[in-house]
Amino acid sequence: MENAASIPDAVITPRPSDLGNGFMVKRALPSAIRRSVGPFVFLDQMGPAGLGPGEGLDVPPHPHIGLATITYLFEGELLHRDSLGTVQAIRPHEVNWMTAGRGIVHSERTPDAARAGSTTLSGIQCWVALPSRDEEMEPAFAHHAADELPVLEADGMALRVIAGEVRGARSPVATRSPLFYADLLLEAGAAFRLDADHPERAAYLVDGELALPGSDDVHGAGSLLVFREGGAPVLRAVSKTRLMLLGGEPLDGHRFIWWNFVSSSRQRIEQAKADWRDGRFARVPGETERIPLPERKPPPVKYP
C-alpha cells in the first residue's frame, strides 16, 4: 500500500516560456495534464540564469486580478514595485506575497546595484487562485524575511515552510484558503514522507534526482509530481535534491485564466482586459513602461 501511495498520479514536464528579453522560464502549471493543484494555478521556475554586468530581468508593469502571486528566490535579487506604492527587494529565502484581488499592477526588475557585476537569478513564482468570496477584495502586499519562516531539520532534511503548515510548523504568511507551500532540501539517500494533510499535493523538483518506492523511475529536475488523494508518498533523494512541496484544498468552483487574470467569471476577465487596454488600472509610481494587452490569445481556460 505504501508503494502504491508513492506512485504519482501525474508527472508533468514544464514547457519553456519567455518572460521577455529572452529570459526563459520553465512553466509547470498550468499544463494540459493538470490545470491546478489545490489553489495553485501557475508555477514558473526562473533560472538558474547567469546575468553578466549590465544584464538583468525586466518585467515592466502588468496587471493581475483574482489571485495572489508568491515569489521565492534561491539566488539573486529582484525589486518589486506595485500600484499600491510598494517598493520591496526580495532576496533568497524571503517571500513576496501580493494579493491582486479586484486589481493590482506591478513590475519586477533586477535592481541597479545587482547589475554592476555578474549574478545568478534562480527562484520560483506561483499563483494561487483566491476563493470566490475574495476575488474582489482590496489588493495588498506582504513581505516576509527569511528568518520569519520556520525551518525543520533532521536526518539529512531541511524544510522551510513558506506558507501554511507542514509537520506542525506554521508560516506567518497570511493565506485566504487551506494550502501548504514549502522548500525541501534532501541529502543523497535521505527521505521525506508527504503526509495526507491536504487532498491535493505535488512536489516540484528544482534540482537533483528523486526515487519513489514501488517504481523503477528516477525523476529529475524540472518534474512536477502530482499525487493522488490519501496515502503518504515517500520521496527519496538519489542525489542532493531540492523540491518545492505544494497543494491544498481543491478550488471552490471553476476558474478562468487569461494572460495575467484569474476569475470565476468569464465576464470579469473581459472587463479586466478592457480596463487594461483603456488605461483604467492604477499606475505603478516611478514606472513609465507597461506591457500591452496581448492582441490575440485563446479563449479563457476553465479550471478545473
Side-chain angles (χ1 to χ4, degrees):
M1 294 298 292
E2 177 179 296
N3 287 353
S6 294
I7 298 174
D9 193 42
V11 179
I12 297 170
T13 300
R15 66 187 188 279
S17 184
D18 190 345
L19 287 185
N21 299 323
F23 190 95
M24 303 301 294
V25 298
K26 299 173 184 176
R27 183 156 296 164
L29 287 176
S31 80
I33 298 173
R34 188 75 178 242
R35 295 293 181 181
S36 59
V37 178
F40 290 83
V41 296
F42 179 97
L43 189 155
D44 268 4
Q45 180 181 357
M46 302 177 286
L51 302 171
E55 296 180 336
L57 173 65
D58 284 293
V59 182
H62 57 282
H64 291 285
I65 65 165
L67 57 84
T69 66
I70 315 161
T71 305
Y72 182 82
L73 298 183
F74 310 122
E75 295 182 84
E77 183 177 351
L78 285 174
L79 186 65
H80 164 98
R81 289 190 176 94
D82 65 38
S83 51
L84 301 176
T86 308
V87 180
Q88 176 65 59
I90 181 171
R91 300 176 181 87
H93 306 135
E94 299 178 343
V95 176
N96 276 3
W97 187 288
M98 185 184 75
T99 303
R102 61 177 176 78
I104 199 168
V105 180
H106 75 134
S107 66
E108 295 164 296
R109 301 182 186 273
T110 301
D112 291 341
R115 298 175 192 256
S118 297
T119 186
T120 298
L121 181 63
S122 177
I124 302 284
Q125 187 173 90
C126 293
W127 297 355
V128 171
L130 293 174
S132 56
R133 67 178 183 275
D134 295 327
E135 286 184 317
E136 296 300 316
M137 68 181 289
E138 289 296 310
F141 178 86
H143 172 83
H144 292 270
D147 60 8
E148 297 180 54
L149 305 180
V151 177
L152 304 177
E153 295 181 303
D155 302 324
M157 173 205 81
L159 181 139
R160 186 181 302 269
V161 184
I162 299 169
E165 182 176 339
V166 181
R167 299 252 174 114
R170 175 165 289 278
S171 165
V173 175
T175 65
R176 310 296 298 190
S177 58
L179 60 83
F180 73 99
Y181 187 37
D183 175 11
L184 174 63
L185 284 171
L186 293 175
E187 297 295 333
F192 180 86
R193 184 184 298 272
L194 185 58
D195 294 332
D197 295 334
H198 296 271
E200 297 191 358
R201 298 159 297 157
Y204 180 76
L205 275 75
V206 177
D207 51 44
E209 294 180 310
L210 198 70
L212 303 172
S215 172
D216 294 330
D217 295 333
V218 174
H219 302 281
S223 298
L224 178 67
L225 312 180
V226 183
F227 299 99
R228 58 179 57 91
E229 186 173 350
V234 176
L235 315 176
R236 186 174 301 279
V238 176
S239 57
K240 187 172 183 178
T241 298
R242 169 169 250 144
L243 309 100
M244 305 302 288
L245 307 178
L246 63 145
E249 294 292 321
L251 293 170
D252 61 348
H254 296 303
R255 292 296 186 280
F256 296 94
I257 184 168
W258 189 94
W259 191 39
N260 302 315
F261 305 139
V262 174
S263 179
S264 57
S265 165
R266 183 191 292 266
Q267 291 72 28
R268 181 66 181 91
I269 287 182
E270 291 302 316
Q271 182 62 56
K273 290 162 63 175
D275 288 344
W276 182 247
R277 183 181 58 242
D278 298 339
R280 288 191 289 268
F281 274 85
R283 295 183 177 274
V284 177
E287 293 271 13
T288 57
E289 294 181 273
R290 69 195 297 266
I291 297 178
L293 190 76
E295 291 186 8
R296 285 186 294 179
K297 292 281 270 187
V301 176
K302 187 165 68 173
Y303 296 4

